[in-house]
Amino acid sequence: SDNSQTAEVFEKLDSGASASEKWIIKYQNRIISVLILVAFSVLAFISYDRYIKQPKEKLAMTEMSQAQLFFDMAIIAGNESDSLFNLAINGGEGKYGFIDITNEYKNTKAANIANYSIGMSYLNLKDYENAIIYLEKFDSDDIFLKSIALGSIGDCFSELNQPNDAFEYYQKAFDSSVNSYTSPKFLYKAAIVGSQIGKNRLAIKYL
Protein backbone atom coordinates (compact mmCIF):
# COMPACT_ATOMS: atom_id res chain seq x y z
CA SER A 1 0.00 0.00 0.00
CA ASP A 2 0.97 3.66 -0.31
CA ASN A 3 1.18 4.04 3.46
CA SER A 4 3.57 1.11 3.86
CA GLN A 5 5.79 2.38 1.01
CA THR A 6 5.89 5.84 2.60
CA ALA A 7 6.77 4.33 5.96
CA GLU A 8 9.56 2.32 4.31
CA VAL A 9 11.00 5.46 2.70
CA PHE A 10 10.99 7.33 6.02
CA GLU A 11 12.60 4.36 7.73
CA LYS A 12 15.42 4.34 5.20
CA LEU A 13 15.88 8.08 5.60
CA ASP A 14 16.00 7.70 9.37
CA SER A 15 18.59 4.92 9.17
CA GLY A 16 20.65 6.96 6.70
CA ALA A 17 20.50 10.02 8.94
CA SER A 18 21.47 7.87 11.90
CA ALA A 19 24.53 6.53 10.05
CA SER A 20 25.54 10.08 9.05
CA GLU A 21 25.18 11.26 12.63
CA LYS A 22 27.35 8.41 13.85
CA TRP A 23 30.00 9.24 11.25
CA ILE A 24 29.98 12.93 12.24
CA ILE A 25 30.24 12.06 15.93
CA LYS A 26 33.11 9.67 15.23
CA TYR A 27 35.11 12.19 13.19
CA GLN A 28 33.90 15.46 14.71
CA ASN A 29 37.33 16.41 16.08
CA ARG A 30 38.92 16.00 12.67
CA ILE A 31 36.10 17.89 10.97
CA ILE A 32 36.42 20.79 13.43
CA SER A 33 40.21 20.83 12.93
CA VAL A 34 39.82 21.00 9.14
CA LEU A 35 37.26 23.82 9.40
CA ILE A 36 39.52 25.77 11.75
CA LEU A 37 42.47 25.27 9.38
CA VAL A 38 40.44 26.47 6.38
CA ALA A 39 39.19 29.52 8.30
CA PHE A 40 42.71 30.32 9.50
CA SER A 41 44.09 30.01 5.94
CA VAL A 42 41.45 32.38 4.57
CA LEU A 43 42.08 34.93 7.32
CA ALA A 44 45.85 34.65 6.84
CA PHE A 45 45.51 35.29 3.09
CA ILE A 46 43.22 38.28 3.61
CA SER A 47 45.55 39.72 6.27
CA TYR A 48 48.65 39.21 4.09
CA ASP A 49 47.00 40.85 1.09
CA ARG A 50 45.59 43.80 3.05
CA TYR A 51 48.37 44.54 5.52
CA ILE A 52 51.53 43.39 3.73
CA LYS A 53 51.11 42.98 -0.03
CA GLN A 54 49.02 46.05 -0.83
CA PRO A 55 51.14 48.48 1.27
CA LYS A 56 54.28 46.94 -0.25
CA GLU A 57 52.92 47.47 -3.77
CA LYS A 58 52.10 51.12 -3.02
CA LEU A 59 55.51 51.77 -1.46
CA ALA A 60 57.29 50.14 -4.40
CA MET A 61 55.44 52.33 -6.90
CA THR A 62 56.27 55.42 -4.83
CA GLU A 63 59.95 54.46 -4.59
CA MET A 64 60.05 53.92 -8.36
CA SER A 65 58.70 57.35 -9.26
CA GLN A 66 62.12 59.02 -9.67
CA ALA A 67 63.43 56.22 -11.87
CA GLN A 68 60.31 56.48 -14.00
CA LEU A 69 60.84 60.24 -14.30
CA PHE A 70 64.43 59.71 -15.51
CA PHE A 71 63.17 57.13 -18.01
CA ASP A 72 60.45 59.45 -19.34
CA MET A 73 62.96 62.29 -19.65
CA ALA A 74 65.37 60.00 -21.52
CA ILE A 75 62.68 59.09 -24.07
CA ILE A 76 62.07 62.79 -24.73
CA ALA A 77 65.76 63.74 -24.73
CA GLY A 78 66.67 61.75 -27.84
CA ASN A 79 70.42 61.88 -28.58
CA GLU A 80 71.25 63.23 -25.12
CA SER A 81 69.49 60.39 -23.34
CA ASP A 82 72.27 57.96 -22.32
CA SER A 83 72.98 59.49 -18.91
CA LEU A 84 69.27 59.63 -18.12
CA PHE A 85 68.74 55.99 -19.05
CA ASN A 86 71.66 55.08 -16.76
CA LEU A 87 70.11 57.11 -13.94
CA ALA A 88 66.80 55.35 -14.52
CA ILE A 89 68.49 51.95 -14.29
CA ASN A 90 70.86 52.61 -11.39
CA GLY A 91 69.20 55.47 -9.51
CA GLY A 92 70.31 58.97 -8.69
CA GLU A 93 69.71 61.93 -6.40
CA GLY A 94 69.47 59.50 -3.50
CA LYS A 95 66.53 57.70 -5.08
CA TYR A 96 66.08 54.11 -6.22
CA GLY A 97 66.73 53.07 -9.80
CA PHE A 98 64.76 50.34 -11.52
CA ILE A 99 67.31 47.69 -10.52
CA ASP A 100 66.89 48.65 -6.84
CA ILE A 101 63.15 48.14 -7.22
CA THR A 102 63.61 44.64 -8.66
CA ASN A 103 65.90 43.74 -5.74
CA GLU A 104 64.02 45.38 -2.86
CA TYR A 105 60.46 44.68 -4.00
CA LYS A 106 60.61 41.26 -5.61
CA ASN A 107 57.37 39.68 -6.81
CA THR A 108 55.53 43.00 -6.99
CA LYS A 109 53.88 44.66 -9.98
CA ALA A 110 56.40 47.48 -9.64
CA ALA A 111 59.32 45.05 -9.98
CA ASN A 112 57.72 43.55 -13.07
CA ILE A 113 57.28 46.99 -14.67
CA ALA A 114 60.87 47.81 -13.67
CA ASN A 115 62.10 44.77 -15.62
CA TYR A 116 60.41 46.14 -18.74
CA SER A 117 61.85 49.63 -18.22
CA ILE A 118 65.35 48.28 -17.55
CA GLY A 119 65.17 46.19 -20.71
CA MET A 120 64.03 49.12 -22.82
CA SER A 121 66.69 51.35 -21.27
CA TYR A 122 69.44 48.85 -22.14
CA LEU A 123 68.01 48.54 -25.66
CA ASN A 124 68.33 52.30 -26.09
CA LEU A 125 71.85 52.12 -24.66
CA LYS A 126 72.67 49.40 -27.24
CA ASP A 127 73.48 46.92 -24.47
CA TYR A 128 71.51 44.19 -26.18
CA GLU A 129 72.51 41.25 -23.99
CA ASN A 130 71.24 42.93 -20.82
CA ALA A 131 68.16 44.18 -22.64
CA ILE A 132 67.24 40.59 -23.50
CA ILE A 133 67.80 39.41 -19.91
CA TYR A 134 65.38 41.94 -18.41
CA LEU A 135 62.78 41.94 -21.16
CA GLU A 136 62.50 38.15 -20.83
CA LYS A 137 61.75 38.61 -17.12
CA PHE A 138 58.83 40.91 -17.92
CA ASP A 139 55.38 39.34 -17.94
CA SER A 140 52.14 41.19 -18.58
CA ASP A 141 48.51 40.77 -19.57
CA ASP A 142 48.71 44.10 -21.38
CA ILE A 143 48.57 43.13 -25.06
CA PHE A 144 50.62 46.09 -26.25
CA LEU A 145 53.41 45.96 -23.67
CA LYS A 146 53.77 42.19 -23.99
CA SER A 147 54.00 42.44 -27.78
CA ILE A 148 56.46 45.35 -27.62
CA ALA A 149 58.67 43.48 -25.12
CA LEU A 150 58.79 40.35 -27.30
CA GLY A 151 59.39 42.39 -30.45
CA SER A 152 62.14 44.37 -28.73
CA ILE A 153 63.88 41.10 -27.84
CA GLY A 154 63.67 40.33 -31.55
CA ASP A 155 65.32 43.69 -32.28
CA CYS A 156 68.11 42.84 -29.83
CA PHE A 157 68.80 39.49 -31.48
CA SER A 158 68.76 41.18 -34.86
CA GLU A 159 71.37 43.70 -33.67
CA LEU A 160 73.45 40.79 -32.33
CA ASN A 161 73.35 39.14 -35.76
CA GLN A 162 71.23 36.24 -34.52
CA PRO A 163 68.50 36.34 -37.20
CA ASN A 164 66.96 32.95 -36.33
CA ASP A 165 66.32 34.08 -32.75
CA ALA A 166 65.10 37.46 -34.00
CA PHE A 167 62.65 35.74 -36.37
CA GLU A 168 61.33 33.58 -33.51
CA TYR A 169 60.67 36.58 -31.27
CA TYR A 170 59.06 38.65 -34.01
CA GLN A 171 56.67 35.73 -34.50
CA LYS A 172 55.99 35.60 -30.77
CA ALA A 173 55.37 39.34 -30.77
CA PHE A 174 52.57 39.33 -33.34
CA ASP A 175 51.17 35.98 -32.15
CA SER A 176 50.79 37.36 -28.62
CA SER A 177 48.44 40.11 -29.73
CA VAL A 178 46.57 40.84 -32.92
CA ASN A 179 46.15 44.61 -33.08
CA SER A 180 46.61 47.45 -35.54
CA TYR A 181 49.51 49.03 -33.64
CA THR A 182 52.15 46.34 -33.03
CA SER A 183 51.10 43.49 -35.35
CA PRO A 184 51.93 45.19 -38.69
CA LYS A 185 55.31 46.34 -37.36
CA PHE A 186 56.46 42.91 -36.23
CA LEU A 187 54.89 41.07 -39.17
CA TYR A 188 57.00 43.27 -41.45
CA LYS A 189 60.17 42.67 -39.41
CA ALA A 190 59.52 38.92 -39.38
CA ALA A 191 59.06 39.00 -43.16
CA ILE A 192 62.36 40.85 -43.69
CA VAL A 193 64.38 38.57 -41.40
CA GLY A 194 62.55 35.49 -42.68
CA SER A 195 63.60 36.27 -46.26
CA GLN A 196 67.21 36.52 -45.04
CA ILE A 197 67.23 33.08 -43.42
CA GLY A 198 65.40 31.18 -46.15
CA LYS A 199 61.89 31.30 -44.67
CA ASN A 200 60.56 32.63 -47.98
CA ARG A 201 57.04 31.17 -47.80
CA LEU A 202 56.49 32.58 -44.33
CA ALA A 203 58.07 35.90 -45.35
CA ILE A 204 55.60 36.25 -48.25
CA LYS A 205 52.73 35.23 -45.95
CA TYR A 206 53.70 37.84 -43.35
CA LEU A 207 53.99 40.56 -45.97
Side-chain angles (χ1 to χ4, degrees):
S1 67
D2 291 342
N3 288 336
S4 63
Q5 287 179 343
T6 302
E8 186 179 344
V9 169
F10 277 110
E11 186 178 341
K12 287 181 179 179
L13 288 172
D14 286 340
S15 63
S18 177
S20 298
E21 288 169 2
K22 288 178 182 177
W23 186 88
I24 291 171
I25 291 169
K26 183 178 179 180
Y27 295 105
Q28 65 179 346
N29 289 338
R30 292 185 185 180
I31 293 170
I32 291 170
S33 296
V34 169
L35 291 174
I36 290 172
L37 181 61
V38 170
F40 178 79
S41 298
V42 171
L43 286 172
F45 174 79
I46 292 171
S47 298
Y48 171 78
D49 185 69
R50 181 175 298 174
Y51 299 110
I52 297 176
K53 186 178 180 181
Q54 290 183 24
K56 187 177 181 181
E57 290 280 3
K58 289 179 181 178
L59 182 59
M61 293 301 292
T62 300
E63 293 279 19
M64 193 169 68
S65 60
Q66 184 62 54
Q68 190 63 50
L69 178 60
F70 284 136
F71 181 82
D72 293 342
M73 290 169 63
I75 296 296
I76 296 169
N79 293 332
E80 305 298 322
S81 62
D82 283 10
S83 61
L84 289 167
F85 278 124
N86 278 307
L87 285 169
I89 293 168
N90 300 304
E93 299 181 6
K95 300 292 185 179
Y96 278 170
F98 288 126
I99 285 181
D100 296 312
I101 298 299
T102 63
N103 291 331
E104 295 294 326
Y105 298 98
K106 293 177 181 177
N107 302 318
T108 63
K109 292 177 182 178
N112 187 45
I113 294 169
N115 281 324
Y116 173 83
S117 298
I118 294 168
M120 296 305 290
S121 295
Y122 277 130
L123 174 59
N124 280 278
L125 291 168
K126 298 180 172 52
D127 185 345
Y128 303 116
E129 290 89 351
N130 272 320
I132 291 168
I133 289 170
Y134 284 95
L135 287 172
E136 285 187 332
K137 292 179 181 180
F138 175 68
D139 184 35
S140 177
D141 293 330
D142 186 293
I143 59 174
F144 295 110
L145 287 182
K146 185 174 183 178
S147 181
I148 291 169
L150 291 168
S152 295
I153 293 173
D155 290 341
C156 291
F157 278 122
S158 184
E159 292 291 343
L160 292 169
N161 294 315
Q162 295 177 233
N164 287 294
D165 293 313
F167 183 71
E168 177 188 345
Y169 274 90
Y170 288 142
Q171 287 179 305
K172 288 181 178 180
F174 62 71
D175 282 341
S176 70
S177 166
V178 178
N179 63 79
S180 59
Y181 176 66
T182 62
S183 295
K185 176 181 179 180
F186 295 125
L187 276 166
Y188 177 75
K189 289 189 175 186
I192 297 300
V193 175
S195 67
Q196 295 170 354
I197 60 176
K199 306 282 186 180
N200 295 322
R201 283 189 179 181
L202 284 174
I204 292 170
K205 177 184 175 182
Y206 296 154
L207 282 173

